Amino acid sequence: MAFDNQIAEALRALEAAGLRRHPRQIQGAQGPELEIDGRRVVCLCSNNYLGLASHPAIVQAAVQAAQEEGVGSGASRLITGTMDAHAQAEAAFSEFVGAAEAVLFSTGYAANLGAIQALVGDGDAVFSDALNHASLIDGCRLSRARTYVYRHGDPGHLEELLQAHRPQARRALIATDSLFSMDGVTAPVQELERLARNFDAGLLVDEAHALGVLGPMGRGVCAEQGVAPDLIVGTLGKSFGTAGAFVAGSGALVDFIRNRARSYVYSTAPSPVLVRAALAALPLVRDADDRRTQLLLHAARLGAALRELGFDVPDIRSQILPVFVGDNDRTMRLSHELFERGVFVQGIRPPTVPVGTARLRLTPMATHRTEHIDRAIGAFAASAPKREEAGT
Ligand SMILES: *Cc1c(COP(=O)(O)O)cnc(C)c1O
């Protein structure tokens, strides 16, 4: 009981700081509109960017896989072996991103945790962008390598840190998001590649939000900019509409990860149902140029209209639009107001983003109709004056 009381007190502290989370419960499938407590709302907070999460061909592949290969994978692949679905998906995804090999993980979180922990350790150094996703940060922590955080998107600062700390390290790894998940900006991957080469460091690029959206055939930021990092992390729960992740790279790197990544070795292999679903999503993603164009058009329309209304939204080419508010409570109030007006957007607070930079994070989908986007703009317009009164 005493322990429970201590935690209840910590929970009250979260509430008081405006940091307690209360996720909404939705009915039915993910899509451009959602049903929540009997209401239809426009969903502007999903990473289901291409609208594939409930695509009939993907659903059918999952159903068929369940019937033919079952639902469970039995155990870790080091115990019960690799199923055909795993091997076929690894071949397909490595080919997609132009790497020699790939290894599947159950989630992107597990992929980053495992890859970094496997490849660097005591005596090594990791160089990490200040706005990297939590899974990359946690991978650095788990690895026990020395971690040096460079200023967001700043190759000059990275170079300084490499000059100061690379010589003492046995191995070095640079890790970055390609399209930053909460800001929608792109990493300077060409400069990072040059620095990695000059300082004899590996480069890991997490393409979670770019895969399926940016680059030729949706192959990501690296493909778009002609960069071949040592490792590409791709996730399947976003544009691919399913779940899981892969780490792609050379044969040696991938084989080493299979041997040493704890989140791979000590975790049950991904379900063949999800792996077959992701495999069915791949050709759809590849051929989704129309959806990609539509998605970025929606984002551009939304961004321009919100700037016009006086909201603090950067002018970037991205399907991720931050609407900077700053204060935690004000962010959540705006989110609730918009929900009351039929638009579901999520407030993002610390520790997900730096203190004082709470924001709404808007993510349209390719399957929204222009009318959905305009409804969202209308809801923002109705909320804008209140926002001024609140002391902007
Ligand atoms: C979502 C995300 C992950 C985690 O992927 P999951 O499959 O959701 O666990 C990793 N990296 C980045 C940059 C992400 O945005």
Side-chain angles (χ1 to χ4, degrees):
M1 263 335 256
F3 187 65
D4 182 71
N5 282 338
Q6 289 164 11
I7 297 300
E9 194 174 315
L11 200 56
R12 281 193 295 277
L14 275 185
E15 182 83 53
L19 292 175
R20 188 169 169 204
R21 323 281 179 122
H22 303 275
R24 295 189 186 276
Q25 186 167 335
I26 72 152
Q27 290 83 51
Q30 289 288 342
E33 286 186 14
L34 296 178
E35 190 177 329
I36 301 179
D37 303 329
R39 302 178 49 187
R40 305 285 306 172
V41 294
V42 178
C43 175
L44 272 180
C45 52
S46 161
N47 300 327
N48 178 21
Y49 301 123
L50 300 180
L52 297 181
S54 51
H55 190 287
I58 299 174
V59 171
Q60 182 50 38
V63 169
Q64 192 180 336
Q67 285 165 344
E68 292 174 4
E69 294 167 271
V71 174
S73 66
S76 164
R77 286 165 61 181
L78 277 71
I79 306 295
T80 42
T82 290
M83 298 176 80
D84 282 346
H86 299 135
Q88 287 168 25
E90 286 169 347
F93 287 119
S94 57
E95 198 247 55
F96 182 56
V97 296
E101 290 196 27
V103 50
L104 287 176
F105 285 82
S106 291
T107 67
Y109 184 84
N112 281 332
L113 213 62
I116 297 177
Q117 165 267 316
L119 297 172
V120 290
D122 231 356
D124 298 330
V126 201
F127 298 84
S128 174
D129 186 288
L131 291 189
N132 271 350
H133 189 264
S135 55
L136 291 168
I137 295 171
D138 292 356
C140 295
R141 289 179 180 158
L142 187 64
S143 76
R144 300 179 201 231
R146 279 190 174 248
T147 302
Y148 302 96
V149 177
Y150 59 92
R151 285 192 294 272
H152 170 57
D154 186 345
H157 188 215
L158 171 58
E159 183 161 14
E160 280 171 33
L161 290 175
L162 282 162
Q163 261 157 3
H165 304 291
R166 173 66 187 98
Q168 301 87 286
R170 178 186 57 159
R171 291 198 289 260
L173 180 69
I174 301 167
T176 185
D177 284 27
S178 68
L179 178 60
F180 284 86
S181 53
M182 298 297 141
D183 293 74
V185 297
T186 304
V189 289
Q190 290 177 346
E191 283 104 318
L192 298 183
E193 184 182 48
R194 182 181 57 80
L195 288 171
R197 196 177 303 129
N198 290 352
F199 285 89
D200 185 27
L203 176 61
L204 180 154
V205 179
D206 177 353
E207 296 264 30
H209 291 278
L211 212 67
V213 175
L214 300 179
M217 293 182 289
R219 289 167 55 225
V221 170
C222 290
E224 184 169 50
Q225 301 201 16
V227 168
D230 298 280
L231 295 145
I232 287 184
V233 177
T235 65
L236 305 172
K238 289 163 182 159
S239 286
F240 281 77
T242 58
F246 62 87
V247 181
S250 72
L253 281 169
V254 169
D255 201 21
F256 197 72
I257 290 170
R258 288 185 195 282
N259 278 275
R260 301 311 293 267
R262 298 172 67 84
S263 60
Y264 176 84
V265 174
Y266 300 107
S267 186
T268 301
S271 161
V273 171
L274 286 166
V275 175
R276 290 286 178 204
L279 263 172
L282 180 56
L284 297 172
V285 168
R286 220 185 244 136
D287 296 337
D289 281 349
D290 290 351
R291 287 183 191 239
R292 281 185 273 279
T293 303
Q294 188 58 257
L295 174 63
L296 293 175
L297 276 174
H298 282 335
R301 182 184 185 88
L302 191 56
L306 296 194
R307 277 190 296 281
E308 187 72 22
L309 287 169
F311 287 97
D312 184 3
V313 182
D315 189 2
I316 45 178
R317 185 200 58 143
S318 161
Q319 81 281 23
I320 299 170
L321 291 175
V323 180
F324 293 102
V325 178
D327 177 73
N328 297 338
D329 282 336
R330 222 145 48 80
T331 303
M332 297 322 288
R333 273 206 306 278
L334 184 53
S335 161
H336 281 108
E337 245 178 78
L338 290 162
F339 187 80
E340 291 309 312
R341 299 194 160 95
V343 179
F344 185 22
V345 301
Q346 200 49 261
I348 309 286
R349 290 165 283 177
T352 308
V353 295
V355 173
T357 72
R359 69 200 66 177
L360 300 178
R361 173 183 183 268
L362 274 53
T363 49
M365 295 167 53
T367 46
H368 278 125
R369 295 187 305 275
T370 304
E371 177 262 320
H372 287 127
I373 303 301
D374 289 345
R375 213 191 299 168
I377 294 167
F380 270 93
S383 298
K386 286 216 180 67
R387 181 170 163 272
E388 300 303 328
E389 282 160 29
T392 306

